[in-house]
Amino acid sequence: MSGGVISMAVARWILACGLLLCSSSFLGAEGAIGVNYGMLGNNLPSPAQVISMYKAKNINYVRLFHPDTTVLAALRNSGIGVVLGTYNEDLARMASDPSFAASWVSSYVQPFAGAVSFRYINAGNEVIPGEPAANVLPAMRNLDAALKSAGISGIPVTTAVATSVLGVSYPPSQGAFSEAASPYMAPIVTYLASKGAPLLVNVYPYFAYAADAERVQLGYALLSASQSASVTDGGVTYTNMFDAIVDAAHAAVEKATGGQAVELVVSETGWPSGGGGVGATVENAAAYNNNLIRHVSGGAGTPRRPGKEVETYLFAMFNENQKPEGVEQHFGLFQPDMTEVYHVDFAASS
């Protein structure tokens, strides 16, 4: 999670939208909806209870930030699609030591591969740009090689990035990676294109709204249906920030790959229900997540990718009391006692 730090790219988009009185209605895509399963809490239910909740609530996809054999065991034969992450602190060794990547695969993937539906493995979360960024692509290559050596096919290896990788995002068609991120992102997305693997992107309209709530319409950030203004970019119309950020990332990828397409998966998005932040209320969080599900389940895609599904993972399953104080402790859909913070209709995504 981006931790509330808003990228310059999103800041520029806020300014542009604020001047144009941007507004929102999330258009829709026939994508899968999942939920991030964070574990930074000392009062959370057992993994078996959590996976039972996923099934009972019709949540068919889960993202794990790090490997946990107890959780993976609970996921056996569940039919739930799994995005499995590595620890950021393991990237350096994973990049430099192929045997470590092989050991990781033999510990966390091979024993579960027949019974757990792995969708992707992501090497690192939000480390680009930054000191560990140089380790990401070598780690991805070593993990991919380790999977092949283990006889495991069909699990793409990728990474998850924040929107801070974008240096330009307005208008969306001009999206481009920043000077700091481009030396890492260009070879990564070219590699992903060669493998037919997606890039995972964490997209948070909330932080954009909270940074300039006086000029960014709340409905634009919440995917409200009734808005009066929009932004036109090259003949297409944007009526919500989510679509605009996703399409700016599409444009950046296309520039970096010379036009090769790479699918984007929104690996995190959400809205806090408390914690004292601007707009952090139960009502707004419920509106955002339910509007998002209807959007992603609608089949229209984004203006740059009409009709193309957007696989999307909400952040997060629980309020986690070991995250930093403030809004970060209030992104959960459920309390640790498994009661709803607010109702989310996952049936709409089925």
Side-chain angles (χ1 to χ4, degrees), residues 20-24 220 227-232 237-240:
L20 290 167
L21 296 177
C22 288
S23 56
S24 169
Y220 180 82
Q227 294 293 325
S228 58
S230 61
V231 172
T232 300
T237 300
Y238 287 88
T239 56
N240 66 83

Side-chain angles (χ1 to χ4, degrees), residues 82 109 113 116-121 144 147 152-158:
V82 180
V109 182
V116 173
S117 301
F118 290 106
R119 291 188 65 74
Y120 321 112
I121 292 172
D144 192 55
L147 289 168
I152 299 169
S153 61
I155 306 177
V157 179
T158 181

Side-chain angles (χ1 to χ4, degrees), residues 1-5 63 65 88 91 122-130 132-133 136 159-165 200-204 207 267-268 328:
M1 183 180 181
S2 55
V5 178
R63 179 180 173 216
F65 289 95
N88 287 345
L91 285 176
N122 67 279
N125 181 54
E126 297 190 344
V127 299
I128 304 169
V136 173
T159 190
V161 298
T163 51
S164 54
V165 298
L200 309 188
V201 183
N202 299 338
V203 176
Y204 282 99
F207 292 123
S267 41
E268 292 179 35
E328 296 227 20

Side-chain angles (χ1 to χ4, degrees), residues 35-156:
V35 179
N36 287 260
Y37 176 12
M39 301 179 218
L40 293 178
N42 59 14
N43 56 355
L44 299 178
S46 71
Q49 290 174 300
V50 174
I51 301 310
S52 292
M53 282 183 68
Y54 271 75
K55 295 172 70 174
K57 301 293 182 182
N58 296 309
I59 306 170
N60 297 319
Y61 300 87
V62 61
R63 179 180 173 216
L64 305 177
F65 289 95
H66 62 269
D68 184 301
T69 54
T70 305
V71 176
L72 290 169
L75 282 161
R76 286 183 185 274
N77 303 313
S78 66
I80 295 172
V82 180
V83 181
L84 180 62
T86 69
Y87 283 110
N88 287 345
E89 50 266 37
D90 285 343
L91 285 176
R93 188 175 175 194
M94 198 167 282
S96 63
D97 184 358
S99 67
F100 180 73
S103 174
W104 194 93
V105 167
S106 69
S107 296
Y108 303 118
V109 182
Q110 201 166 5
F112 305 97
V116 173
S117 301
F118 290 106
R119 291 188 65 74
Y120 321 112
I121 292 172
N122 67 279
N125 181 54
E126 297 190 344
V127 299
I128 304 169
E131 187 175 340
N135 296 317
V136 173
L137 184 54
M140 288 167 57
R141 292 183 185 277
N142 284 341
L143 282 169
D144 192 55
L147 289 168
K148 286 183 173 58
S149 295
I152 299 169
S153 61
I155 306 177

Side-chain angles (χ1 to χ4, degrees), residues 109-308:
V109 182
Q110 201 166 5
F112 305 97
V116 173
S117 301
F118 290 106
R119 291 188 65 74
Y120 321 112
I121 292 172
N122 67 279
N125 181 54
E126 297 190 344
V127 299
I128 304 169
E131 187 175 340
N135 296 317
V136 173
L137 184 54
M140 288 167 57
R141 292 183 185 277
N142 284 341
L143 282 169
D144 192 55
L147 289 168
K148 286 183 173 58
S149 295
I152 299 169
S153 61
I155 306 177
V157 179
T158 181
T159 190
V161 298
T163 51
S164 54
V165 298
L166 297 175
V168 177
S169 65
Y170 180 80
S173 62
Q174 298 303 305
F177 293 123
S178 69
E179 289 186 11
S182 187
Y184 309 105
M185 291 304 303
I188 285 172
V189 295
T190 300
Y191 176 80
L192 293 173
S194 73
K195 296 288 187 178
L199 175 67
L200 309 188
V201 183
N202 299 338
V203 176
Y204 282 99
Y206 168 73
F207 292 123
Y209 168 74
D212 198 355
E214 291 186 2
R215 290 192 292 176
V216 179
Q217 288 190 9
L218 179 61
Y220 180 82
L222 290 179
L223 291 66
S224 292
S226 57
Q227 294 293 325
S228 58
S230 61
V231 172
T232 300
D233 174 23
V236 299
T237 300
Y238 287 88
T239 56
N240 66 83
M241 186 178 288
F242 185 98
D243 277 351
I245 296 173
V246 171
D247 276 357
H250 276 301
V253 168
E254 289 168 16
K255 288 180 177 67
T257 61
Q260 297 181 77
V262 174
E263 295 298 320
L264 298 184
V265 171
V266 176
S267 41
E268 292 179 35
T269 191
W271 196 283
S273 62
V278 176
T281 68
V282 169
E283 293 77 16
N284 288 344
Y288 179 81
N289 283 311
N290 282 291
N291 288 343
L292 179 73
I293 289 174
R294 284 190 290 270
H295 172 68
V296 174
S297 302
T302 66
R304 196 176 182 91
R305 292 286 187 278
K308 196 72 174 176

Side-chain angles (χ1 to χ4, degrees), residues 8-21:
M8 287 299 295
V10 176
R12 293 188 188 102
W13 175 248
I14 293 169
L15 285 174
C17 289
L19 294 172
L20 290 167
L21 296 177

